[in-house]
């Protein structure tokens, strides 16, 4: 009788404002967007991208040696414009690579990843939420910086007597390819960071892939004259991705294999870089799902 009275007097749990609320993927995207834009590393890395891209493009257009620019053909002028607008990608790719690693490794370093996976126990929603938010932000910043860089270079070239056509497809496609290249490098770095869970290790790995491996492969190919080494080097992320923003004159004949050396077209190089991203992203998703936090 006493036990029955005690059961009846037990107070019901207080209602929580979160009762009945389920975390959906849209909510994951909003939370990842809030986290990304509130990080100081995001502001610094994207600020460096904008300043470097525009600054290097302006300096390149102003300092490029031109002889009789008014007599140059439109193809040559457009080639100079694409080169000036995209030359900064060699530097800005490093900033987005660092940002991509820090987006995931920073949460492991601070322990915030426990809160993230507590809110999303299946983990893959948070993993791909970070991936999508990072990709969209970097692509938008890449489009804006490439566009501003091209406009600045066009104005400077016009003042120097060189008339380039900013609206030509042979100019717009490499600019779009440059923004796509930055995006793919950022998400590749993110996937590497999710595999290694270390800021230092992730940054060292992606920078080694972008800077060290192409140089080492080039040296070996030059010293040994081994064509297979040169062909392997053309499938590295940076080498394949370079084709996305390279200028190709209209109606040019592309040679896929010349003297035993493979030369990738823009779409082929883009697919090779995309394959790198897909493979490492799947590996990162599997490890994120299986490993303990």
């Amino acid at each position: 009788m006493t036990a029955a009275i005690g059961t009846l007097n037990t107070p019901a749990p207080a209602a929580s404002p979160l009762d009945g609320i389920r975390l959906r993927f849209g909510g994951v995207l909003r939370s990842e967007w809030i986290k990304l834009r509130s990080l100081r590393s995001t502001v610094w890395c994207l600020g460096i991208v904008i300043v470097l891209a525009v600054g290097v493009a302006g300096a390149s257009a102003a300092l490029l040696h031109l002889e009789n620019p008014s007599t140059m053909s439109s193809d040559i002028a457009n080639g100079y414009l694409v080169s000036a607008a995209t030359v900064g990608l060699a530097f800005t790719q490093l900033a987005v690579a660092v940002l991509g690693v820090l987006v995931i490794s920073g949460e492991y370093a601070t322990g915030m990843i426990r809160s993230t996976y507590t809110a999303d126990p299946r983990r893959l929603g948070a993993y791909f939420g970070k991936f999508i938010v990072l990709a969209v932000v970097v692509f938008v910043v890449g489009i804006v910086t490439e566009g501003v860089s091209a406009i600045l270079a066009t104005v400077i070239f016009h003042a120097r007597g060189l008339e380039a056509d900013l609206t030509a497809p042979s100019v717009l496609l490499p600019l779009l390819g440059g923004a796509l290249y930055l995006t793919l490098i950022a998400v590749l770095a993110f996937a590497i960071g999710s595999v290694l869970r270390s800021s230092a290790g992730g940054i060292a790995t992606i920078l080694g892939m972008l800077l060290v491996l192409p140089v080492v492969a080039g040296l070996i190919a030059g010293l040994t004259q081994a064509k297979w080494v040169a062909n392997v080097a053309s499938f590295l992320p940076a080498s394949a991705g370079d084709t996305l923003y390279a200028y190709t004159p209209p109606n040019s004949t592309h040679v896929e294999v010349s003297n035993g050396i493979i030369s990738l077209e823009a779409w082929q190089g883009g697919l090779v870089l995309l394959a790198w991203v897909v493979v490492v992203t799947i590996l990162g998703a599997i490890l994120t799902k299986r490993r303990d936090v």
Side-chain angles (χ1 to χ4, degrees):
M1 183 65 180
T2 303
I5 293 174
T7 302
L8 293 174
N9 292 336
T10 301
S16 170
L18 299 179
D19 289 346
I21 297 178
R22 297 183 60 185
L23 182 62
R24 301 182 184 279
F25 191 63
V28 173
L29 290 178
R30 285 195 294 272
S31 65
E32 295 301 334
W33 162 240
I34 293 172
K35 283 192 285 187
L36 182 64
R37 64 185 169 86
S38 61
L39 292 174
R40 282 185 294 180
S41 58
T42 303
V43 177
W44 276 106
C45 290
L46 296 182
I48 290 172
V49 169
I50 296 171
V51 171
L52 275 181
V54 178
V56 172
S60 177
L63 300 177
L64 184 67
H65 176 70
L66 300 173
E67 290 185 0
N68 301 321
S70 59
T71 62
M72 291 183 179
S73 66
S74 60
D75 283 347
I76 296 177
N78 291 343
Y80 279 138
L81 174 58
V82 171
S83 298
T86 60
V87 67
L89 289 172
F91 307 101
T92 56
Q93 64 172 342
L94 307 181
V96 299
V98 171
L99 175 63
V101 172
L102 293 180
V103 164
I104 184 68
S105 65
E107 289 203 25
Y108 283 102
T110 61
M112 188 176 178
I113 197 69
R114 297 188 182 92
S115 301
T116 299
Y117 290 156
T118 299
D120 180 18
R122 295 181 178 179
R123 301 187 180 184
L124 293 185
Y127 178 82
F128 285 107
K130 294 177 186 295
F131 183 98
I132 292 173
V133 170
L134 175 66
V136 171
V137 168
V138 173
F139 184 74
V140 171
V141 171
I143 283 288
V144 172
T145 54
E146 288 298 295
V148 173
S149 299
I151 293 173
L152 177 61
T154 303
V155 172
I156 294 175
F157 279 143
H158 177 73
R160 300 183 63 188
L162 181 65
E163 298 298 336
D165 184 6
L166 181 59
T167 62
S170 60
V171 174
L172 293 178
L173 288 178
L175 298 181
L176 180 63
L180 181 61
Y181 175 73
L182 286 182
T183 305
L184 292 175
I185 291 299
V187 294
L188 176 62
F190 166 80
I192 291 174
S194 68
V195 171
L196 299 179
R197 297 184 170 189
S198 165
S199 298
I203 291 172
T205 301
I206 186 65
L207 296 189
M209 292 175 69
L210 296 177
L211 299 178
V212 179
L213 285 182
V215 174
V216 172
L219 286 175
I220 295 175
L223 293 174
T224 63
Q225 298 299 314
K227 295 179 181 177
W228 69 269
V229 176
N231 288 330
V232 169
S234 65
F235 287 87
L236 293 174
S239 304
D242 286 350
T243 61
L244 284 172
Y245 55 89
Y247 178 73
T248 303
N251 303 320
S252 64
T253 302
H254 184 82
V255 180
E256 294 184 352
V257 180
S258 177
N259 195 25
I261 303 298
I262 297 175
S263 176
L264 299 176
E265 294 186 48
W267 67 272
Q268 294 170 330
L271 288 179
V272 170
L273 181 54
L274 180 62
W276 277 91
V277 172
V278 170
V279 170
V280 184
T281 299
I282 291 175
L283 177 61
I286 293 173
L287 294 178
T288 298
K289 187 72 175 178
R290 291 186 175 181
R291 291 191 299 201
D292 292 334
V293 175

